Amino acid sequence: MNRETGLFENSETDLPNMAYVLENDIKFLSGVGEQRAALLRKELGVHTVGDLLYYFPYRYIDRSRIYSIAEIRDESLTYVQIRARIVGFQHAGSGPKKRFVALVEDATGMAELVWFKGISWIEKRLEQGREYVIFGRPTFFNGQLNLIHPEVESTLSQQNRPTHGVQGVYSTTERLNNGHLGTKALYTLVCNAWSLAEGHIRETLPEALLRENHLIGLKEALRNIHFPENERSLKEARLRLKFEELLGVQLSILLERGRRVERSGGHLFPTVGERFNRFYQEKLPFPLTGAQKRVIREIRRDTVSGHQMNRLLQGDVGSGKTLVALMSMLLACDNGYQACLMAPTEILANQHYATLNRMLEGLPVHVRLWTGSTRKKERTELSASLLSGETDILIGTHALIEDGVQFRNLGLVIIDEQHRFGVEQRARLWSKNDRPPHVLVMTATPIPRTLAMTLYGDLDVSVIDELPPGRKPIKTLHYRDSHRLQVFGFIRNEIRKGRQVYIVYPLIKESEKMDYKDLEDGYAGITQAFPPPEYVTVVVHGKMKAADKEYGMKLFKEGVAHIMVATSVIEVGVDVPNATIMVIESAERFGLSQLHQLRGRVGRGGEQSYCVLMSGDKLSTDSRKRLAAMVETNDGFRLAELDLKLRGPGDMSGTLQSGLAFDLKIANLGQDGQILTLARQAAERILAEDPRLERTENRLLRELAARYRNRREADFSMIS
Ligand code: ADP
Ligand code: MG
């Protein structure tokens, strides 16, 4: 590598644009060596000195304050720092209680430092009569201040540190700890790296961008993220580094999108023909909502643009996405293309099939169904009809991907409730044709805008933000288990009025025996409280045979069954307008988004509907917050934002997370929405002027984007 030029031309390097010192192998850093370097690589992905400087503290402690011993009276402080002289040592106890005690004093009093482990190591390092700065959690024992396993540093070596105030704490792993790379050792290494690199750090963001967004320079940011002088400098450092990270992600996403749009031509749907028009004029049972119209217009625009549509349609449960899907598919058919609608479960696929057939009755559109239970004989015939183009619309589950179904002329793929489909499954769909079909992904999981922008930055987003008219808002109530009888009374009343009821049990994993036991016990309890033949109760869950599930669903849909006991398989898409009560058992075990999805199963007709959240009598603070939020609002987006705040994006339903094909080192999607918005806007502005970042003045940004492209590679393999 060419040291003179700083070797910045290579955009594949991990930390472009920094002088070679930062690209030095970490093993050459003083205090590291081969063995520790291997550990750092493996455990933290730290290969170079620069990587280490991008390994940020996960929290900070205030080291500016020195307490006097007398001042510490109780255990209310998490950490204290004292400056005291060692006046004596003592070995005490035996066996597991064996400990080493150093007695210290300052001008105001005495304290004990206690070690249970690593005694011989610490003993060698402490010197009687010397003054140390001691840092640890205060506990009291027999009225005496004790610090167990404190950090101890001689006041002499303390002066060499670049920090005076807030000190970073670095997260470590068991392996690192065993290799003597604990928090403190990492801190020391960072100090070493810093003194080595300080003079060589070059900016990664253009001057103008820094100015416009009131950001500090990289050098200052790196110094302050590791060795902040105060809260304010830490805040500035964080802002700057988060912005850089989010800008890198956005640029890489948007560049990739640009490449995709250029690469793939799109099928053209210019004609609004007989099928669309006749459906609209003769069949549409109600006027479209404004939001539905808008989204259909957006899809129209995409499908005449000459580029492949890649659109995410978000709409709260019950907002009428199915109709948008249907009308888009008719558009495809009118232009001589086939369309395909994929649902995450067989139940839902069947339901879509029934709904579409009903709505399209008498129109020249051939709709067929392909699921895991489609018989072999039918498959053979159906395959032929797809290849000949006789079938216009295919509805199915992911079985149709697994079975490698072939079309004659597939122009549009709609994926319902996308969070159930992994990225990989989407990939297989895409690769089906030479020219990829337009893709519409529909989801009722209200993905907060910030998250959608990052997860689906390569998709355009449409939102149905309006429910069909005449819906009464669902009333949500929270009851503790001890009030179950009251709830049963209420249910009886509704059933007497002719309504139907869902009772849902949490099912965290399809395989969890415990959950099924809950459900079975629950079912037994329900049939006791609601005995047949007066009441008919059906059960539907994931472990049942498809045919049994189907039968249960049918009884409920036709109104024969009053109560449906189910696991969260019914979470997605079931439509029974006469069902007005949704009882969610152990509601504290569900996430907010999931609760909201379940609630959306009721409130679909003209009657007042209710959602009853049952919970244990004891609740954690988070659970209480979640349930209270459900009672308070019906707004899915607000709940999703809150969910993101409470749980962080990592916990938003597992598959959402898997869309995030890179880790963020410092930004937090739950909290940094504003910075993300700024970064997104900046990225859009920059690319509007220079779509491929080819201009010289954008070289830094091109390198920044490349750094994140590597991390996102997995996410894109699917659309190339
Ligand atoms: P989701 O968006 O959850 O998939 P659906 O498409 O299942 O919602 O629609 C929910 C219900 O609302 C269905 O019964 C559907 O017939 C009805 N619906 C859809 N659009 C309208 C509309 N514009 N006016 C009145 N009802 C509508
Ligand atoms: Mg739906």
Side-chain angles (χ1 to χ4, degrees), residues 193-416:
W194 179 250
S195 51
L196 193 67
E198 192 177 359
H200 302 270
I201 292 168
R202 295 221 320 223
E203 188 48 63
T204 50
L205 297 179
E207 180 70 40
L209 208 55
L210 293 180
R211 218 174 327 108
E212 282 161 26
N213 293 285
H214 311 286
L215 301 173
I216 59 172
L218 181 59
K219 179 175 165 186
E220 200 184 342
L222 284 177
R223 186 193 325 106
N224 286 338
I225 199 78
H226 293 290
F227 319 115
E229 300 234 340
N230 50 43
E231 283 291 330
R232 195 178 54 88
S233 61
L234 178 58
K235 231 170 125 183
E236 288 171 349
R238 280 202 173 122
L239 175 64
R240 144 78 209 214
L241 292 165
K242 285 176 175 183
F243 183 91
E244 176 185 302
E245 179 166 66
L246 293 170
L247 181 70
V249 170
Q250 291 303 322
L251 281 175
S252 97
I253 289 173
L254 291 174
L255 277 174
E256 192 57 38
R257 170 156 96 178
R259 278 193 279 272
R260 174 172 57 75
V261 167
E262 269 175 31
R263 214 171 29 227
S264 63
H267 299 292
L268 294 175
F269 299 174
T271 310
V272 181
E274 184 201 351
R275 294 180 247 208
F276 187 97
N277 282 327
R278 277 190 59 196
F279 175 78
Y280 194 76
Q281 282 150 20
E282 298 168 22
K283 299 288 176 184
L284 195 61
F286 28 62
L288 295 173
T289 63
Q292 284 171 322
K293 280 187 199 160
R294 191 184 64 235
V295 173
I296 290 171
R297 272 199 302 272
E298 283 166 349
I299 292 168
R300 277 273 292 144
R301 211 181 308 132
D302 285 355
T303 51
V304 295
S305 73
H307 297 301
Q308 182 210 4
M309 173 174 79
N310 218 3
R311 187 168 281 282
L312 175 72
L313 171 56
Q314 294 192 33
D316 213 340
V317 274
S319 61
K321 294 187 293 297
T322 315
L323 204 53
V324 171
L326 172 56
M327 295 180 71
S328 312
M329 291 196 288
L330 291 179
L331 207 57
C333 297
D334 272 345
N335 288 277
Y337 289 97
Q338 291 165 300
C340 162
L341 171 60
M342 298 217 310
T345 65
E346 213 164 309
I347 292 180
L348 193 56
N350 288 333
Q351 184 175 304
H352 278 324
Y353 180 65
T355 309
L356 261 60
N357 268 325
R358 183 164 39 79
M359 294 183 107
L360 293 174
E361 216 185 313
L363 294 185
V365 185
H366 291 107
V367 184
R368 300 290 300 266
L369 179 69
W370 184 302
T371 69
S373 348
T374 307
R375 293 280 159 77
K376 182 134 188 281
K377 206 171 130 207
E378 194 189 342
R379 286 183 183 205
T380 317
E381 179 263 321
L382 185 48
S383 295
S385 124
L386 285 163
L387 277 177
S388 73
E390 188 197 326
T391 292
D392 300 300
I393 294 177
L394 182 66
I395 295 175
T397 57
H398 56 88
L400 69 89
I401 298 181
E402 272 144 32
D403 300 343
V405 170
Q406 302 278 327
F407 294 83
R408 188 175 77 99
N409 195 10
L410 181 63
L412 171 67
V413 172
I414 300 180
I415 304 175
D416 196 12

Side-chain angles (χ1 to χ4, degrees), residues 8-74:
F8 307 126
E9 303 317 326
N10 180 359
S11 64
E12 297 307 318
T13 49
D14 220 26
L15 284 165
N17 175 46
M18 286 192 182
Y20 76 94
V21 175
L22 291 208
E23 298 188 341
N24 261 350
D25 194 315
I26 191 74
K27 72 182 174 198
F28 299 124
L29 185 68
S30 83
V32 183
E34 293 283 358
Q35 247 179 351
R36 286 178 155 192
L39 265 178
L40 288 168
R41 269 197 301 272
K42 201 153 165 232
E43 295 291 298
L44 305 179
V46 167
H47 295 253
T48 63
V49 172
D51 289 344
L52 187 62
L53 288 178
Y54 268 80
Y55 187 64
F56 305 133
Y58 74 100
R59 68 183 177 88
Y60 297 83
I61 42 189
D62 186 356
R63 302 291 294 249
S64 61
R65 173 103 152 83
I66 303 267
Y67 285 82
S68 66
I69 291 176
E71 199 182 351
I72 307 164
R73 299 225 181 80
D74 55 34

Side-chain angles (χ1 to χ4, degrees), residues 693-710:
L693 294 182
E694 285 162 336
R695 295 186 193 165
T696 342
E697 72 263 27
N698 285 333
R699 193 201 47 163
L700 296 179
L701 294 173
R702 192 168 64 238
E703 286 165 355
L704 182 68
R707 202 190 325 167
Y708 289 92
R709 190 188 61 211
N710 297 339

